[in-house]
Amino acid sequence: MILESFPVGPLQANCTILGDEDAGEAIVIDPGDEAERIHGRLTKLGLKLKQILLTHAHIDHVGGALRLKRLTGAPILLNENDLPLLATMEQQAAWLGIPTPETAPPDEGLADGQRVGLERYPAQVLHTPGHTQGSVCLHFAPLKLLVAGDTLFAGSIGRTDLPGGDYGQIIDSIQSRLLPLPDETRVLTGHGPETTIGTERRSNPFLRGQ
Ligand SMILES: [Zn+2]
């Protein structure tokens, strides 16, 4: 198994490559920027890209997706509840003072319960609204791995003050969908260091008393 997670772009969103070297296949989660660098890494690893999975439609997570699709031919998957947010890319870029990346509607949705990923490393989609209405986490149960986007961070949670954000909803999403996962589940977050479900259940100040 190849698992690489690294920050991309001015907001340093974590992009993840998960590959099966025997099958020569990979998925990429949240190519927020630096599509050429991500493509170069896939080429160096000898992996064919099968899916581009987006945890939500904020610019720092989707900015490189269309470019990566053009470089690889892989389809883009995004939860349909974030389509309105995807349409605000110009506004999102203006808030940050960065150029507007070209985007396109996703090729497929990412519905709750849907199975995505590689044949050998499948993931289940967990719809976890709150940071945005279409935020999802990807749970690779056999790998004891969760890719959480901006829903859960080490010692924090995603901001809910942007359009589409809802504080009560993100707390409920984390409580009902993420905290029931096994303690040892490794969590790759959308920004900053990784953590585990057990660590966050015990010590995340936003989840105390949950
Ligand atoms: Zn975000």
Side-chain angles (χ1 to χ4, degrees), residues 154-201:
S156 187
I157 62 171
R159 59 188 292 183
T160 54
D161 58 330
L162 297 171
D166 184 316
Y167 185 81
Q169 206 178 23
I170 196 172
I171 294 291
D172 183 60
S173 287
I174 295 169
Q175 182 184 14
S176 64
R177 307 304 303 277
L178 304 188
L179 294 190
L181 300 177
D183 268 8
E184 64 272 25
T185 305
R186 182 180 173 191
V187 181
L188 299 183
T189 65
H191 298 268
E194 64 177 86
T195 182
T196 67
I197 290 294
T199 300
E200 297 314 308
R201 188 191 296 106

mmCIF file of all heavy atoms in Angstrom, residues 154-201:
data_model
loop_
_atom_site.group_PDB
_atom_site.id
_atom_site.type_symbol
_atom_site.label_atom_id
_atom_site.label_comp_id
_atom_site.label_asym_id
_atom_site.label_seq_id
_atom_site.Cartn_x
_atom_site.Cartn_y
_atom_site.Cartn_z
ATOM 1 N N ALA A 154 -7.052 17.694 14.560
ATOM 2 C CA ALA A 154 -6.409 17.340 15.814
ATOM 3 C C ALA A 154 -6.679 18.462 16.818
ATOM 4 O O ALA A 154 -6.184 19.573 16.665
ATOM 5 C CB ALA A 154 -4.904 17.152 15.600
ATOM 6 N N GLY A 155 -7.514 18.188 17.810
ATOM 7 C CA GLY A 155 -7.829 19.169 18.847
ATOM 8 C C GLY A 155 -8.796 20.248 18.423
ATOM 9 O O GLY A 155 -9.004 21.216 19.158
ATOM 10 N N SER A 156 -9.421 20.110 17.279
ATOM 11 C CA SER A 156 -10.344 21.143 16.812
ATOM 12 C C SER A 156 -11.371 20.533 15.851
ATOM 13 O O SER A 156 -11.351 19.324 15.589
ATOM 14 C CB SER A 156 -9.560 22.262 16.122
ATOM 15 O OG SER A 156 -10.406 23.348 15.805
ATOM 16 N N ILE A 157 -12.247 21.397 15.339
ATOM 17 C CA ILE A 157 -13.231 20.973 14.345
ATOM 18 C C ILE A 157 -13.260 22.030 13.244
ATOM 19 O O ILE A 157 -12.687 23.113 13.392
ATOM 20 C CB ILE A 157 -14.649 20.818 14.953
ATOM 21 C CG1 ILE A 157 -15.149 22.154 15.509
ATOM 22 C CG2 ILE A 157 -14.650 19.745 16.045
ATOM 23 C CD1 ILE A 157 -16.613 22.141 15.941
ATOM 24 N N GLY A 158 -13.933 21.717 12.148
ATOM 25 C CA GLY A 158 -13.995 22.644 11.038
ATOM 26 C C GLY A 158 -14.775 23.901 11.382
ATOM 27 O O GLY A 158 -15.699 23.869 12.197
ATOM 28 N N ARG A 159 -14.400 25.025 10.741
ATOM 29 C CA ARG A 159 -15.118 26.269 10.996
ATOM 30 C C ARG A 159 -16.513 26.181 10.383
ATOM 31 O O ARG A 159 -16.734 25.502 9.383
ATOM 32 C CB ARG A 159 -14.338 27.467 10.467
ATOM 33 C CG ARG A 159 -14.052 27.428 8.987
ATOM 34 C CD ARG A 159 -13.111 28.555 8.576
ATOM 35 N NE ARG A 159 -13.725 29.864 8.703
ATOM 36 C CZ ARG A 159 -13.131 31.018 8.351
ATOM 37 N NH1 ARG A 159 -11.891 30.996 7.876
ATOM 38 N NH2 ARG A 159 -13.744 32.160 8.480
ATOM 39 N N THR A 160 -17.450 26.882 11.014
ATOM 40 C CA THR A 160 -18.838 26.817 10.551
ATOM 41 C C THR A 160 -19.393 28.211 10.285
ATOM 42 O O THR A 160 -20.599 28.395 10.146
ATOM 43 C CB THR A 160 -19.735 26.111 11.593
ATOM 44 O OG1 THR A 160 -19.585 26.765 12.854
ATOM 45 C CG2 THR A 160 -19.343 24.651 11.737
ATOM 46 N N ASP A 161 -18.498 29.212 10.176
ATOM 47 C CA ASP A 161 -18.949 30.591 9.981
ATOM 48 C C ASP A 161 -18.977 30.995 8.509
ATOM 49 O O ASP A 161 -19.320 32.129 8.186
ATOM 50 C CB ASP A 161 -18.042 31.549 10.765
ATOM 51 C CG ASP A 161 -16.583 31.431 10.360
ATOM 52 O OD1 ASP A 161 -16.158 30.322 9.952
ATOM 53 O OD2 ASP A 161 -15.858 32.434 10.442
ATOM 54 N N LEU A 162 -18.641 30.080 7.615
ATOM 55 C CA LEU A 162 -18.705 30.376 6.187
ATOM 56 C C LEU A 162 -20.072 29.933 5.654
ATOM 57 O O LEU A 162 -20.769 29.161 6.308
ATOM 58 C CB LEU A 162 -17.573 29.642 5.454
ATOM 59 C CG LEU A 162 -16.157 30.061 5.861
ATOM 60 C CD1 LEU A 162 -15.119 29.132 5.257
ATOM 61 C CD2 LEU A 162 -15.886 31.506 5.473
ATOM 62 N N PRO A 163 -20.468 30.423 4.450
ATOM 63 C CA PRO A 163 -21.767 30.020 3.898
ATOM 64 C C PRO A 163 -21.902 28.496 3.841
ATOM 65 O O PRO A 163 -21.000 27.799 3.401
ATOM 66 C CB PRO A 163 -21.739 30.629 2.487
ATOM 67 C CG PRO A 163 -20.828 31.805 2.596
ATOM 68 C CD PRO A 163 -19.782 31.401 3.601
ATOM 69 N N GLY A 164 -23.040 28.000 4.321
ATOM 70 C CA GLY A 164 -23.267 26.555 4.339
ATOM 71 C C GLY A 164 -22.828 25.886 5.627
ATOM 72 O O GLY A 164 -23.048 24.695 5.819
ATOM 73 N N GLY A 165 -22.194 26.657 6.528
ATOM 74 C CA GLY A 165 -21.725 26.097 7.787
ATOM 75 C C GLY A 165 -22.819 26.095 8.848
ATOM 76 O O GLY A 165 -23.705 26.949 8.839
ATOM 77 N N ASP A 166 -22.754 25.114 9.751
ATOM 78 C CA ASP A 166 -23.763 24.997 10.814
ATOM 79 C C ASP A 166 -23.116 24.283 12.005
ATOM 80 O O ASP A 166 -22.782 23.098 11.919
ATOM 81 C CB ASP A 166 -24.970 24.203 10.287
ATOM 82 C CG ASP A 166 -26.106 24.115 11.299
ATOM 83 O OD1 ASP A 166 -25.832 23.854 12.489
ATOM 84 O OD2 ASP A 166 -27.260 24.288 10.880
ATOM 85 N N TYR A 167 -22.924 25.023 13.107
ATOM 86 C CA TYR A 167 -22.182 24.484 14.251
ATOM 87 C C TYR A 167 -22.866 23.260 14.870
ATOM 88 O O TYR A 167 -22.234 22.230 15.121
ATOM 89 C CB TYR A 167 -21.986 25.563 15.319
ATOM 90 C CG TYR A 167 -21.123 25.105 16.466
ATOM 91 C CD1 TYR A 167 -19.733 25.104 16.353
ATOM 92 C CD2 TYR A 167 -21.683 24.658 17.657
ATOM 93 C CE1 TYR A 167 -18.936 24.666 17.387
ATOM 94 C CE2 TYR A 167 -20.893 24.209 18.704
ATOM 95 C CZ TYR A 167 -19.518 24.224 18.568
ATOM 96 O OH TYR A 167 -18.724 23.780 19.596
ATOM 97 N N GLY A 168 -24.182 23.365 15.110
ATOM 98 C CA GLY A 168 -24.898 22.235 15.709
ATOM 99 C C GLY A 168 -24.805 20.987 14.831
ATOM 100 O O GLY A 168 -24.683 19.861 15.318
ATOM 101 N N GLN A 169 -24.857 21.237 13.535
ATOM 102 C CA GLN A 169 -24.815 20.121 12.584
ATOM 103 C C GLN A 169 -23.441 19.436 12.567
ATOM 104 O O GLN A 169 -23.360 18.201 12.503
ATOM 105 C CB GLN A 169 -25.136 20.683 11.196
ATOM 106 C CG GLN A 169 -25.725 19.703 10.226
ATOM 107 C CD GLN A 169 -26.061 20.380 8.899
ATOM 108 O OE1 GLN A 169 -25.491 21.414 8.552
ATOM 109 N NE2 GLN A 169 -26.977 19.800 8.161
ATOM 110 N N ILE A 170 -22.354 20.206 12.632
ATOM 111 C CA ILE A 170 -21.029 19.560 12.582
ATOM 112 C C ILE A 170 -20.788 18.757 13.862
ATOM 113 O O ILE A 170 -20.245 17.649 13.822
ATOM 114 C CB ILE A 170 -19.881 20.575 12.308
ATOM 115 C CG1 ILE A 170 -18.604 19.837 11.884
ATOM 116 C CG2 ILE A 170 -19.584 21.453 13.505
ATOM 117 C CD1 ILE A 170 -17.483 20.757 11.418
ATOM 118 N N ILE A 171 -21.220 19.293 14.990
ATOM 119 C CA ILE A 171 -21.092 18.548 16.253
ATOM 120 C C ILE A 171 -21.877 17.244 16.166
ATOM 121 O O ILE A 171 -21.393 16.166 16.538
ATOM 122 C CB ILE A 171 -21.585 19.404 17.448
ATOM 123 C CG1 ILE A 171 -20.662 20.614 17.660
ATOM 124 C CG2 ILE A 171 -21.688 18.556 18.716
ATOM 125 C CD1 ILE A 171 -19.275 20.297 18.154
ATOM 126 N N ASP A 172 -23.098 17.330 15.633
ATOM 127 C CA ASP A 172 -23.931 16.130 15.503
ATOM 128 C C ASP A 172 -23.302 15.127 14.540
ATOM 129 O O ASP A 172 -23.312 13.913 14.788
ATOM 130 C CB ASP A 172 -25.334 16.525 15.031
ATOM 131 C CG ASP A 172 -26.250 15.317 14.945
ATOM 132 O OD1 ASP A 172 -26.460 14.668 15.985
ATOM 133 O OD2 ASP A 172 -26.722 14.998 13.841
ATOM 134 N N SER A 173 -22.744 15.644 13.421
ATOM 135 C CA SER A 173 -22.099 14.747 12.453
ATOM 136 C C SER A 173 -20.931 13.993 13.095
ATOM 137 O O SER A 173 -20.784 12.780 12.923
ATOM 138 C CB SER A 173 -21.571 15.542 11.254
ATOM 139 O OG SER A 173 -22.619 15.983 10.423
ATOM 140 N N ILE A 174 -20.097 14.722 13.842
ATOM 141 C CA ILE A 174 -18.927 14.093 14.463
ATOM 142 C C ILE A 174 -19.370 13.083 15.513
ATOM 143 O O ILE A 174 -18.865 11.955 15.578
ATOM 144 C CB ILE A 174 -18.001 15.162 15.076
ATOM 145 C CG1 ILE A 174 -17.412 16.047 13.969
ATOM 146 C CG2 ILE A 174 -16.892 14.509 15.891
ATOM 147 C CD1 ILE A 174 -16.711 17.294 14.489
ATOM 148 N N GLN A 175 -20.365 13.506 16.310
ATOM 149 C CA GLN A 175 -20.831 12.635 17.395
ATOM 150 C C GLN A 175 -21.479 11.366 16.850
ATOM 151 O O GLN A 175 -21.227 10.271 17.342
ATOM 152 C CB GLN A 175 -21.823 13.416 18.253
ATOM 153 C CG GLN A 175 -22.341 12.623 19.431
ATOM 154 C CD GLN A 175 -23.393 13.392 20.199
ATOM 155 O OE1 GLN A 175 -23.925 14.390 19.724
ATOM 156 N NE2 GLN A 175 -23.709 12.915 21.382
ATOM 157 N N SER A 176 -22.320 11.510 15.824
ATOM 158 C CA SER A 176 -23.104 10.363 15.374
ATOM 159 C C SER A 176 -22.384 9.498 14.347
ATOM 160 O O SER A 176 -22.643 8.305 14.245
ATOM 161 C CB SER A 176 -24.444 10.833 14.794
ATOM 162 O OG SER A 176 -24.234 11.616 13.633
ATOM 163 N N ARG A 177 -21.445 10.078 13.575
ATOM 164 C CA ARG A 177 -20.824 9.312 12.493
ATOM 165 C C ARG A 177 -19.352 8.991 12.723
ATOM 166 O O ARG A 177 -18.870 7.983 12.248
ATOM 167 C CB ARG A 177 -20.937 10.082 11.166
ATOM 168 C CG ARG A 177 -22.338 10.524 10.795
ATOM 169 C CD ARG A 177 -23.352 9.371 10.728
ATOM 170 N NE ARG A 177 -23.012 8.300 9.827
ATOM 171 C CZ ARG A 177 -23.233 8.286 8.511
ATOM 172 N NH1 ARG A 177 -23.795 9.330 7.940
ATOM 173 N NH2 ARG A 177 -22.914 7.239 7.782
ATOM 174 N N LEU A 178 -18.619 9.856 13.438
ATOM 175 C CA LEU A 178 -17.167 9.651 13.566
ATOM 176 C C LEU A 178 -16.766 9.044 14.909
ATOM 177 O O LEU A 178 -15.962 8.112 14.958
ATOM 178 C CB LEU A 178 -16.420 10.973 13.343
ATOM 179 C CG LEU A 178 -16.693 11.682 12.008
ATOM 180 C CD1 LEU A 178 -15.756 12.866 11.835
ATOM 181 C CD2 LEU A 178 -16.585 10.726 10.821
ATOM 182 N N LEU A 179 -17.316 9.560 16.003
ATOM 183 C CA LEU A 179 -16.892 9.048 17.317
ATOM 184 C C LEU A 179 -17.228 7.572 17.525
ATOM 185 O O LEU A 179 -16.533 6.898 18.299
ATOM 186 C CB LEU A 179 -17.471 9.912 18.443
ATOM 187 C CG LEU A 179 -16.939 11.350 18.504
ATOM 188 C CD1 LEU A 179 -17.381 12.027 19.793
ATOM 189 C CD2 LEU A 179 -15.421 11.406 18.370
ATOM 190 N N PRO A 180 -18.271 7.013 16.865
ATOM 191 C CA PRO A 180 -18.505 5.562 17.014
ATOM 192 C C PRO A 180 -17.446 4.684 16.348
ATOM 193 O O PRO A 180 -17.419 3.478 16.590
ATOM 194 C CB PRO A 180 -19.870 5.355 16.324
ATOM 195 C CG PRO A 180 -20.533 6.691 16.362
ATOM 196 C CD PRO A 180 -19.411 7.681 16.209
ATOM 197 N N LEU A 181 -16.567 5.257 15.532
ATOM 198 C CA LEU A 181 -15.525 4.450 14.879
ATOM 199 C C LEU A 181 -14.515 3.980 15.931
ATOM 200 O O LEU A 181 -14.382 4.591 16.993
ATOM 201 C CB LEU A 181 -14.817 5.279 13.798
ATOM 202 C CG LEU A 181 -15.732 5.802 12.680
ATOM 203 C CD1 LEU A 181 -14.946 6.679 11.709
ATOM 204 C CD2 LEU A 181 -16.407 4.655 11.943
ATOM 205 N N PRO A 182 -13.800 2.886 15.652
ATOM 206 C CA PRO A 182 -12.849 2.355 16.645
ATOM 207 C C PRO A 182 -11.790 3.388 17.054
ATOM 208 O O PRO A 182 -11.335 4.181 16.229
ATOM 209 C CB PRO A 182 -12.199 1.180 15.909
ATOM 210 C CG PRO A 182 -13.176 0.786 14.844
ATOM 211 C CD PRO A 182 -13.888 2.049 14.448
ATOM 212 N N ASP A 183 -11.423 3.349 18.334
ATOM 213 C CA ASP A 183 -10.442 4.282 18.898
ATOM 214 C C ASP A 183 -9.174 4.383 18.075
ATOM 215 O O ASP A 183 -8.601 5.463 17.922
ATOM 216 C CB ASP A 183 -10.045 3.813 20.310
ATOM 217 C CG ASP A 183 -10.914 4.436 21.376
ATOM 218 O OD1 ASP A 183 -11.908 5.095 21.017
ATOM 219 O OD2 ASP A 183 -10.596 4.243 22.565
ATOM 220 N N GLU A 184 -8.709 3.248 17.552
ATOM 221 C CA GLU A 184 -7.406 3.225 16.884
ATOM 222 C C GLU A 184 -7.476 3.751 15.460
ATOM 223 O O GLU A 184 -6.451 3.817 14.767
ATOM 224 C CB GLU A 184 -6.829 1.805 16.898
ATOM 225 C CG GLU A 184 -7.644 0.790 16.125
ATOM 226 C CD GLU A 184 -8.739 0.116 16.951
ATOM 227 O OE1 GLU A 184 -9.206 0.728 17.951
ATOM 228 O OE2 GLU A 184 -9.126 -1.012 16.597
ATOM 229 N N THR A 185 -8.667 4.167 15.009
ATOM 230 C CA THR A 185 -8.806 4.677 13.641
ATOM 231 C C THR A 185 -7.913 5.898 13.440
ATOM 232 O O THR A 185 -8.024 6.901 14.147
ATOM 233 C CB THR A 185 -10.273 5.063 13.353
ATOM 234 O OG1 THR A 185 -11.115 3.941 13.613
ATOM 235 C CG2 THR A 185 -10.437 5.518 11.906
ATOM 236 N N ARG A 186 -7.022 5.806 12.448
ATOM 237 C CA ARG A 186 -6.117 6.901 12.117
ATOM 238 C C ARG A 186 -6.904 7.934 11.319
ATOM 239 O O ARG A 186 -7.629 7.583 10.383
ATOM 240 C CB ARG A 186 -4.974 6.324 11.293
ATOM 241 C CG ARG A 186 -3.915 7.270 10.886
ATOM 242 C CD ARG A 186 -2.862 6.497 10.074
ATOM 243 N NE ARG A 186 -1.890 7.413 9.518
ATOM 244 C CZ ARG A 186 -0.989 7.079 8.605
ATOM 245 N NH1 ARG A 186 -0.937 5.836 8.160
ATOM 246 N NH2 ARG A 186 -0.146 7.974 8.149
ATOM 247 N N VAL A 187 -6.797 9.201 11.682
ATOM 248 C CA VAL A 187 -7.551 10.263 11.026
ATOM 249 C C VAL A 187 -6.597 11.198 10.289
ATOM 250 O O VAL A 187 -5.776 11.874 10.908
ATOM 251 C CB VAL A 187 -8.380 11.081 12.044
ATOM 252 C CG1 VAL A 187 -9.176 12.179 11.333
ATOM 253 C CG2 VAL A 187 -9.320 10.170 12.834
ATOM 254 N N LEU A 188 -6.713 11.226 8.956
ATOM 255 C CA LEU A 188 -5.989 12.224 8.167
ATOM 256 C C LEU A 188 -6.913 13.436 8.026
ATOM 257 O O LEU A 188 -8.015 13.326 7.498
ATOM 258 C CB LEU A 188 -5.624 11.660 6.793
ATOM 259 C CG LEU A 188 -4.727 10.424 6.782
ATOM 260 C CD1 LEU A 188 -4.394 10.025 5.338
ATOM 261 C CD2 LEU A 188 -3.445 10.661 7.567
ATOM 262 N N THR A 189 -6.457 14.577 8.533
ATOM 263 C CA THR A 189 -7.297 15.770 8.578
ATOM 264 C C THR A 189 -7.051 16.652 7.350
ATOM 265 O O THR A 189 -6.073 16.469 6.630
ATOM 266 C CB THR A 189 -6.998 16.575 9.846
ATOM 267 O OG1 THR A 189 -5.648 17.053 9.780
ATOM 268 C CG2 THR A 189 -7.168 15.716 11.095
ATOM 269 N N GLY A 190 -7.942 17.622 7.155
ATOM 270 C CA GLY A 190 -7.837 18.496 5.992
ATOM 271 C C GLY A 190 -6.726 19.527 6.088
ATOM 272 O O GLY A 190 -6.274 20.072 5.075
ATOM 273 N N HIS A 191 -6.306 19.823 7.295
ATOM 274 C CA HIS A 191 -5.195 20.763 7.526
ATOM 275 C C HIS A 191 -4.458 20.306 8.780
ATOM 276 O O HIS A 191 -5.084 19.916 9.759
ATOM 277 C CB HIS A 191 -5.703 22.201 7.759
ATOM 278 C CG HIS A 191 -6.433 22.774 6.582
ATOM 279 N ND1 HIS A 191 -5.820 23.519 5.601
ATOM 280 C CD2 HIS A 191 -7.735 22.699 6.227
ATOM 281 C CE1 HIS A 191 -6.710 23.894 4.699
ATOM 282 N NE2 HIS A 191 -7.891 23.410 5.056
ATOM 283 N N GLY A 192 -3.138 20.399 8.766
ATOM 284 C CA GLY A 192 -2.366 20.118 9.969
ATOM 285 C C GLY A 192 -2.154 18.629 10.200
ATOM 286 O O GLY A 192 -2.361 17.814 9.298
ATOM 287 N N PRO A 193 -1.752 18.293 11.443
ATOM 288 C CA PRO A 193 -1.331 16.922 11.735
ATOM 289 C C PRO A 193 -2.481 15.925 11.763
ATOM 290 O O PRO A 193 -3.642 16.296 11.923
ATOM 291 C CB PRO A 193 -0.686 17.038 13.123
ATOM 292 C CG PRO A 193 -1.307 18.235 13.737
ATOM 293 C CD PRO A 193 -1.619 19.177 12.604
ATOM 294 N N GLU A 194 -2.129 14.653 11.626
ATOM 295 C CA GLU A 194 -3.125 13.592 11.766
ATOM 296 C C GLU A 194 -3.386 13.311 13.228
ATOM 297 O O GLU A 194 -2.671 13.795 14.115
ATOM 298 C CB GLU A 194 -2.664 12.331 11.042
ATOM 299 C CG GLU A 194 -1.415 11.703 11.599
ATOM 300 C CD GLU A 194 -1.083 10.406 10.843
ATOM 301 O OE1 GLU A 194 -0.408 10.498 9.805
ATOM 302 O OE2 GLU A 194 -1.497 9.333 11.293
ATOM 303 N N THR A 195 -4.446 12.530 13.492
ATOM 304 C CA THR A 195 -4.805 12.207 14.858
ATOM 305 C C THR A 195 -5.475 10.831 14.850
ATOM 306 O O THR A 195 -5.349 10.103 13.862
ATOM 307 C CB THR A 195 -5.726 13.309 15.455
ATOM 308 O OG1 THR A 195 -6.015 12.991 16.818
ATOM 309 C CG2 THR A 195 -7.017 13.462 14.678
ATOM 310 N N THR A 196 -6.128 10.469 15.938
ATOM 311 C CA THR A 196 -6.917 9.231 15.968
ATOM 312 C C THR A 196 -8.280 9.545 16.572
ATOM 313 O O THR A 196 -8.452 10.548 17.281
ATOM 314 C CB THR A 196 -6.263 8.127 16.830
ATOM 315 O OG1 THR A 196 -6.287 8.554 18.197
ATOM 316 C CG2 THR A 196 -4.839 7.833 16.395
ATOM 317 N N ILE A 197 -9.243 8.678 16.298
ATOM 318 C CA ILE A 197 -10.584 8.859 16.872
ATOM 319 C C ILE A 197 -10.513 8.825 18.398
ATOM 320 O O ILE A 197 -11.132 9.650 19.081
ATOM 321 C CB ILE A 197 -11.545 7.772 16.353
ATOM 322 C CG1 ILE A 197 -11.856 8.011 14.858
ATOM 323 C CG2 ILE A 197 -12.830 7.729 17.178
ATOM 324 C CD1 ILE A 197 -12.635 9.277 14.558
ATOM 325 N N GLY A 198 -9.724 7.905 18.969
ATOM 326 C CA GLY A 198 -9.624 7.793 20.423
ATOM 327 C C GLY A 198 -9.079 9.063 21.055
ATOM 328 O O GLY A 198 -9.597 9.545 22.072
ATOM 329 N N THR A 199 -8.041 9.633 20.435
ATOM 330 C CA THR A 199 -7.446 10.871 20.955
ATOM 331 C C THR A 199 -8.478 11.986 20.957
ATOM 332 O O THR A 199 -8.612 12.734 21.940
ATOM 333 C CB THR A 199 -6.241 11.282 20.086
ATOM 334 O OG1 THR A 199 -5.278 10.240 20.123
ATOM 335 C CG2 THR A 199 -5.610 12.568 20.583
ATOM 336 N N GLU A 200 -9.215 12.126 19.868
ATOM 337 C CA GLU A 200 -10.194 13.224 19.785
ATOM 338 C C GLU A 200 -11.369 12.992 20.726
ATOM 339 O O GLU A 200 -11.871 13.936 21.326
ATOM 340 C CB GLU A 200 -10.666 13.401 18.341
ATOM 341 C CG GLU A 200 -9.548 13.805 17.398
ATOM 342 C CD GLU A 200 -8.672 14.927 17.936
ATOM 343 O OE1 GLU A 200 -9.217 15.968 18.331
ATOM 344 O OE2 GLU A 200 -7.439 14.753 17.969
ATOM 345 N N ARG A 201 -11.799 11.736 20.872
ATOM 346 C CA ARG A 201 -12.897 11.473 21.799
ATOM 347 C C ARG A 201 -12.502 11.854 23.214
ATOM 348 O O ARG A 201 -13.297 12.421 23.970
ATOM 349 C CB ARG A 201 -13.323 10.009 21.746
ATOM 350 C CG ARG A 201 -14.590 9.768 22.576
ATOM 351 C CD ARG A 201 -14.946 8.308 22.793
ATOM 352 N NE ARG A 201 -15.269 7.630 21.562
ATOM 353 C CZ ARG A 201 -14.477 6.756 20.960
ATOM 354 N NH1 ARG A 201 -13.311 6.436 21.497
ATOM 355 N NH2 ARG A 201 -14.831 6.181 19.841
#
